[in-house]
Amino acid sequence: MPDGGHRQRAIARNPVACARFFHFMVKLFIEKLLRLDDDRGLFGNTDAYYGTVEAQGRLTLHLHCLMRIARALTPQQLRDRIK
């Protein structure tokens, strides 16, 4: 893994590629883990979600997300699904 300075220079040289990769990863999270309107999602049946993207001081993007879970799982059920 490249050191932090190398990663920061790579991000600064091509921020569009970084943003596209971030978008790709967020879409995968929503499609494969949340599985909207499907009881098989990681957290149960996610009825709705809202997310906002923020840039950190290290030039990296991150997501803040609020989700509404219908028939929410108990902590034990959630732990079992994560396993």
Side-chain angles (χ1 to χ4, degrees), residues 50-64:
Y50 173 80
T52 184
V53 177
E54 185 176 63
Q56 295 177 320
R58 296 174 290 183
L59 305 175
T60 57
L61 300 174
H62 67 276
L63 177 70
H64 293 268

Side-chain angles (χ1 to χ4, degrees), residues 9-23:
R9 285 187 297 278
I11 291 168
R13 279 193 303 270
N14 200 345
V16 173
C18 295
R20 285 183 173 175
F21 178 73
F22 178 78
H23 183 255

Side-chain angles (χ1 to χ4, degrees), residues 2 5 10-11 16 18 24 31 35-37 40 45 48 53 55 59 61 70-74 82-83:
I11 291 168
V16 173
C18 295
F24 172 74
E31 291 172 10
R35 293 185 178 194
L36 297 179
D37 300 321
R40 296 175 299 152
N45 186 351
V53 177
L59 305 175
L61 300 174
R71 301 179 307 280
L73 299 172
T74 66
I82 291 172
K83 282 183 169 181

